[in-house]
Amino acid sequence: MNDVETTGAWLSREELDNARDRLPILYVHAVPVRVDDRGVVTHVGLLLRADSDGGIGQEVVGGRVLYHERIRDALTRHVEADLGPMALPRIPLSPQPFTVAEFFPTPGVTPFHDPRQHAVSLAFVVAVMGDCRPQQDALDLSWVTPEEAASLAVRGEMPGSHGVLVRQALAHVGFPV
């Protein structure tokens, strides 16, 4: 199988700003998890990142889907970019999101807010089997129990509506939130 070349699909800063002003941008988010031999989630991976305003918070993996890129490939690319090339994500051949999150620049339209743009994100729970290390702009990676993740989400320690995604992911895999 030949991979489609996506490196030419990046927009310049000006082109991206122009697109964000005119149309929704497609994203994927992945809540990385560790599972036991029965497939039960034992830990949730949270990245510690600084935002443009100087705040620090915990987030899940995520990013844009490139032009002509399959959703599965975008998930793999973002998991490996944020957690390292040895994360070994187990992404199904035909991934199904646990939710579709609509981010609006206007607060309060949905539980999801992104001041930069109107964005639509397909959100997935992704089991990772390998060695994970924070990459790129991530300051740290912590593995917390589902109960700890739910507590962090409720306390508002996850910016950009990531706490809502984590709570929805936990509910999707059977944890009460």
Side-chain angles (χ1 to χ4, degrees):
M1 178 172 110
N2 293 339
D3 287 332
V4 175
E5 178 62 40
T6 58
T7 55
W10 290 107
L11 298 173
S12 70
R13 173 58 51 201
E14 295 79 27
E15 290 170 325
L16 180 58
D17 289 342
N18 190 26
R20 282 179 167 155
D21 286 342
R22 290 181 165 65
L23 46 104
I25 305 293
L26 180 61
Y27 279 72
V28 291
H29 279 95
V31 178
V33 298
R34 298 280 192 193
V35 297
D36 65 15
D37 57 354
R38 297 173 295 138
V40 175
V41 173
T42 60
H43 291 87
V44 177
L46 299 174
L47 294 165
L48 186 66
R49 286 202 170 120
D51 63 23
S52 59
D53 297 331
I56 294 180
Q58 295 189 298
E59 298 182 354
V60 298
V61 170
R64 289 183 309 202
V65 177
L66 300 177
Y67 178 75
H68 216 269
E69 182 178 42
R70 297 180 330 159
I71 298 298
R72 186 173 191 279
D73 295 336
L75 280 168
T76 301
R77 178 172 57 83
H78 286 294
V79 168
E80 290 177 353
D82 284 346
L83 304 181
M86 298 307 296
L88 305 177
R90 291 179 44 187
I91 299 171
L93 292 175
S94 182
Q96 299 295 314
F98 67 83
T99 195
V100 176
E102 296 179 276
F103 290 80
F104 285 89
T106 306
V109 177
T110 69
F112 305 100
H113 175 248
D114 185 338
R116 304 169 301 166
Q117 65 194 338
H118 176 189
V120 176
S121 179
L122 306 175
F124 302 85
V125 175
V126 176
V128 291
M129 308 307 290
D131 183 35
C132 298
R133 307 231 184 249
Q135 304 289 307
Q136 296 187 14
D137 62 348
L139 304 172
D140 195 13
L141 168 67
S142 58
W143 291 98
V144 298
T145 66
E147 295 79 13
E148 292 168 327
S151 176
L152 289 168
V154 169
R155 290 194 316 249
E157 295 184 21
M158 295 180 199
S161 309
H162 286 248
V164 176
L165 286 176
V166 167
R167 287 195 345 260
Q168 288 180 340
L170 291 170
H172 180 74
V173 298
F175 281 93
V177 290

